[in-house]
């Protein structure tokens, strides 16, 4: 194809290539179990396989897809494999995929209402729907001062609320008090908060990481928080931000929102609740109690892209006071001015996030909610939790292993019990087990450290996972454990 004849968006070519690509992806899902779950390539593998520079002349789609098969797929870790149990899930689904496709199809950049009214309005509506499914307090709905917004990730959600909270308190106490502002969270809080503090200019010595241990199943202790706040006040510091987690990254611990929230409120602090993973489970009445106390929160976030069948990325954030975000993040350059924004009766999501540009991500969530419906989504979550419980029982039935934290949602934390007198308390033993199972390519799990113990994490949540996969995964773990223990 000569330059002058390039038709980059020809609808007939899109139809033809698009069908081929959908077939390619559908075949990928059909054969996904045949690939090693965790990619087994070595760093730099791809440079040896691809040319040094981009082609001068066009190549065929078939050639590119052949390269995907032969060169790219070996370097892919298959997060959608039914044998994937690492970190937390990152769900895809047909509905999420279709929404993603449609979003790519429109390819709008919806930073202000006027740049695509449907993008803003659908986002507002869909996040109200989801807030109602979670039974969030009405203050988080768009009908009042609050509302929801889709961010790329939970990290961005935490950053924007931290910035809003920082600026809110600085407006009150004066801009030169930044060095006095204190942030609180447990040591189980995701590192996204630390990064947000770094970006927001919070003084590192004012980031209070409160220890949570097995006595509270790794939940933050309200008395510890209270004590830390009192100490800081008496040192002339200004406590202003608390982050609690529902479903911590290491062990899915749940911080006690009601008590923590009351302390935050009494001290006029912003209270953010990060439910990136476990928030999805709270659409089930029997798990909703994990966010009891959410009425005390100033903001609440969950990742629809983790365990809610919405393809990455789609991290949902609700705030009670949208003005706090806007006051921190709004800019109004001449080249973006428009009648609707100036009349002040539309939402401009550019003022609720870090970047200007934003994709039409609500289409994905809308598709998921409409094509599946609440009841199917609830059964989806329940099934994973049931499978995790079955896995836990398998672990408990083998005397060589122990479960090291309660299974609250679909995550099981466990380890091989070290021999008495083991020098590193089972660190190497479990590290080697992790390495062996992941190198086998049969399953992929991850790890953490809890109370100094090297712990294996088995997170059920990939959309294709069934009971047979969980049982097979357990067999892989048992067999590798037998090999390791015999070699010891
Ligand atoms: N918060 C929690 C509790 C998480 O488990 C994670 C990731 O697993 C994050 C935040 C970070 O999520 P993201 O990648 O969307 O920033």
């Amino acid at each position: 194809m000569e330059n002058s004849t390039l038709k980059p968006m020809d609808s007939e070519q899109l139809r033809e290539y698009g069908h081929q690509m959908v077939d390619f992806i559908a075949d990928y899902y059909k054969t996904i179990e045949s690939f090693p779950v965790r990619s087994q390539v070595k760093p730099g593998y791809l440079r040896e396989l691809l040319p040094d520079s981009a082609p001068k002349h066009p190549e065929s789609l078939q050639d590119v897809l052949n390269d995907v098969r032969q060169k790219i797929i070996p370097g892919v870790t298959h997060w959608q494999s039914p044998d994937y149990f690492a970190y937390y899930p990152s769900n895809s689904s047909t509905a999420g995929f279709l929404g993603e496709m449609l979003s790519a199809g429109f390819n709008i950049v919806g930073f202000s209402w006027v740049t695509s009214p449907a993008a803003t309005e659908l986002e507002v509506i869909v996040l109200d729907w989801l807030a109602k499914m979670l039974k969030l307090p009405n203050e988080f709905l768009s009908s009042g001062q609050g509302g929801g917004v889709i961010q790329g990730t939970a990290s961005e959600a935490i950053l924007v609320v931290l910035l809003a909270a920082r600026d809110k308190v600085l407006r009150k106490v004066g801009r030169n008090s930044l060095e006095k502002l204190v942030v609180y969270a447990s040591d189980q809080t995701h590192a996204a908060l630390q990064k947000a503090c770094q970006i927001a200019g919070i003084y590192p010595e004012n980031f209070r990481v409160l220890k949570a241990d097995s006595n509270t199943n790794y939940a933050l202790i309200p008395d510890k928080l209270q004590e830390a706040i009192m100490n800081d006040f008496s040192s002339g510091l200004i406590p202003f931000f608390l982050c609690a987690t529902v479903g911590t990254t290491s062990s899915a611990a749940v911080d006690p929102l009601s008590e923590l929230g009351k302390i935050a409120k009494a001290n006029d602090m912003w209270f953010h609740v990060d439910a990136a993973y476990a928030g999805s489970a709270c659409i089930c009445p029997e798990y909703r109690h994990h966010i009891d106390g959410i009425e005390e929160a100033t903001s609440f976030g969950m990742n629809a892209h983790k365990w809610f069948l919405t393809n990455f990325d789609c991290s949902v954030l609700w705030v009670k006071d949208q003005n706090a975000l806007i006051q921190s993040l709004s800019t109004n350059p001449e080249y973006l001015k428009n009648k609707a924004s100036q009349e002040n009766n539309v939402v401009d999501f550019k003022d609720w996030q870090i970047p200007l540009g934003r994709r039409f991500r609500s289409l994905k969530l809308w598709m998921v909610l409409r094509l599946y419906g609440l009841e199917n989504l609830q059964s989806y979550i329940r099934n994973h939790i049931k499978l995790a419980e079955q896995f836990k029982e398998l672990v408990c039935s083998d005397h060589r292993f122990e479960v090291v934290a309660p299974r609250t949602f679909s995550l099981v934390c466990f380890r091989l019990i070290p021999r008495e007198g083991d020098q590193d308390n089972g660190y190497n033993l479990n590290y080697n087990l992790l390495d062996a199972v992941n190198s086998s390519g049969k399953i992929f799990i991850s790890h953490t450290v809890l109370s100094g113990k090297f712990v294996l994490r088995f997170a059920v949540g990939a959309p294709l996972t069934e009971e047979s996969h969980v049982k097979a995964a357990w067999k892989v773990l048992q067999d590798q454990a037998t090999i390791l223990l015999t070699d010891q």
Side-chain angles (χ1 to χ4, degrees):
M1 212 181 280
E2 287 301 316
N3 228 1
S4 56
T5 60
L6 181 67
K7 289 190 191 161
M9 197 29 104
D10 175 80
S11 46
E12 289 316 313
Q13 190 186 50
L14 174 68
R15 196 185 310 281
E16 187 194 326
Y17 283 15
H19 281 140
Q20 287 182 43
M21 188 57 91
V22 168
D23 281 343
F24 182 89
I25 296 168
D27 286 342
Y28 166 71
Y29 275 95
K30 211 169 185 172
T31 55
I32 196 165
E33 287 185 59
S34 64
F35 304 113
V37 189
R38 194 200 65 187
S39 169
Q40 307 286 318
V41 299
K42 299 269 176 297
Y45 89 102
L46 196 52
R47 196 162 279 288
E48 286 171 19
L49 300 177
L50 293 186
D52 278 345
S53 50
K56 192 161 178 202
H57 301 292
E59 300 182 50
S60 73
L61 178 61
Q62 275 328 312
D63 283 348
V64 178
L65 289 181
N66 280 339
D67 274 356
V68 174
R69 264 185 220 102
Q70 290 161 17
K71 300 171 183 171
I72 300 298
I73 287 187
V76 170
T77 289
H78 302 279
W79 285 65
Q80 305 312 320
S81 164
D83 304 312
Y84 176 96
F85 303 101
Y87 312 113
Y88 277 138
S90 179
N91 283 179
S92 66
S93 66
T94 303
F97 177 73
L98 294 180
E100 185 71 55
M101 227 170 144
L102 194 54
S103 170
F106 291 136
N107 200 29
I108 58 99
V109 188
F111 46 81
S112 302
W113 177 87
V114 71
T115 64
S116 250
T120 299
E121 296 199 11
L122 186 65
E123 189 160 326
V124 171
I125 292 166
V126 168
L127 295 194
D128 277 352
W129 285 8
L130 187 52
K132 287 179 193 165
M133 285 167 74
L134 289 161
K135 303 210 177 338
L136 295 187
N138 286 341
E139 293 143 287
F140 285 115
L141 299 181
S142 64
S143 43
Q145 290 306 303
V149 55
I150 300 178
Q151 306 279 333
T153 60
S155 309
E156 286 165 73
I158 292 171
L159 175 59
V160 296
V161 295
L162 184 70
L163 293 173
R166 179 198 67 182
D167 293 348
K168 191 173 169 193
V169 68
L170 288 181
R171 278 194 296 276
K172 209 166 75 185
V173 299
R175 294 214 68 84
N176 54 4
S177 294
L178 181 63
E179 67 191 282
K180 294 190 188 150
L181 302 189
V182 190
V183 171
Y184 303 81
S186 90
D187 60 356
Q188 301 298 305
T189 307
H190 195 276
L193 180 64
Q194 184 194 341
K195 189 184 272 196
C197 286
Q198 285 165 209
I199 298 172
I202 303 304
Y203 281 48
E205 62 272 26
N206 290 349
F207 178 29
R208 296 281 167 273
V209 180
L210 306 169
K211 201 163 160 39
D213 59 27
S214 58
N215 293 322
T216 58
N217 295 325
Y218 300 98
L220 177 53
I221 302 171
D223 284 349
K224 271 198 179 169
L225 173 71
Q226 178 71 36
E227 193 188 324
I229 291 175
M230 290 307 119
N231 282 343
D232 286 329
F233 269 129
S234 52
S235 313
L237 297 173
I238 306 171
F240 85 105
F241 190 89
L242 166 66
C243 180
T245 309
V246 174
T248 58
T249 312
S250 276
S251 69
V254 178
D255 289 335
L257 302 190
S258 284
E259 289 170 85
L260 295 173
K262 288 195 173 80
I263 296 172
K265 198 181 226 166
N267 293 290
D268 206 13
M269 294 162 67
W270 187 293
F271 179 34
H272 179 66
V273 175
D274 174 15
Y277 151 70
S280 303
C282 300
I283 61 161
C284 300
E286 68 274 31
Y287 299 112
R288 170 60 178 75
H289 68 93
H290 291 297
I291 54 167
D292 281 357
I294 193 64
E295 51 289 348
E296 309 290 349
T298 324
S299 50
F300 173 70
M302 78 160 236
N303 280 355
H305 64 235
K306 273 192 161 59
W307 196 17
F308 205 68
L309 291 172
T310 311
N311 292 39
F312 189 84
D313 53 349
C314 186
S315 179
V316 180
L317 169 70
W318 288 274
V319 291
K320 280 185 182 165
D321 175 17
Q322 51 171 276
N323 280 324
L325 281 183
I326 295 169
Q327 282 178 292
S328 204
L329 301 169
S330 160
T331 55
N332 190 21
E334 185 56 39
Y335 46 82
L336 297 182
K337 283 186 182 155
N338 65 85
K339 194 158 172 272
S341 299
Q342 275 161 316
E343 285 174 355
N344 236 347
N345 54 8
V346 293
V347 172
D348 286 334
F349 276 130
K350 72 177 175 55
D351 299 335
W352 299 45
Q353 63 173 23
I354 309 289
L356 174 72
R358 62 199 323 272
R359 307 193 302 125
F360 200 162
R361 285 180 292 220
S362 54
L363 284 171
K364 292 188 276 193
L365 196 49
W366 190 48
M367 286 277 183
V368 166
L369 297 177
R370 290 192 64 187
L371 294 191
Y372 299 141
L374 174 62
E375 287 180 2
N376 271 323
L377 290 164
Q378 289 171 332
S379 336
Y380 176 73
I381 296 280
R382 286 178 183 133
N383 183 47
H384 285 155
I385 295 180
K386 187 187 83 191
L387 294 178
E389 177 60 22
Q390 285 174 3
F391 181 83
K392 189 196 97 178
E393 281 162 15
L394 290 170
V395 176
C396 291
S397 68
D398 185 331
H399 68 275
R400 300 172 302 171
F401 286 89
E402 67 176 352
V403 171
V404 293
R407 182 220 42 81
T408 309
F409 301 102
S410 68
L411 172 71
V412 181
C413 292
F414 68 107
R415 68 169 192 159
L416 260 178
I417 303 169
R419 284 201 187 130
E420 217 162 294
D422 185 288
Q423 291 212 321
D424 61 9
N425 189 19
Y427 190 102
N428 272 321
L429 180 64
N430 283 284
Y431 180 90
N432 290 339
L433 179 58
L434 177 78
D435 191 44
V437 296
N438 288 343
S439 302
S440 77
K442 291 180 187 158
I443 60 171
F444 185 25
I445 63 171
S446 59
H447 81 280
T448 189
V449 171
L450 289 172
S451 304
K453 289 180 189 165
F454 189 94
V455 170
L456 305 176
R457 294 172 73 267
F458 188 89
V460 182
L464 291 166
T465 301
E466 294 177 7
E467 190 178 332
S468 57
H469 301 103
V470 171
K471 285 189 171 152
W474 174 239
K475 174 101 177 44
V476 172
L477 280 154
Q478 278 190 311
D479 289 351
Q480 290 293 349
T482 304
I483 296 170
L484 280 176
L485 293 172
T486 324
D487 286 353
Q488 257 195 342

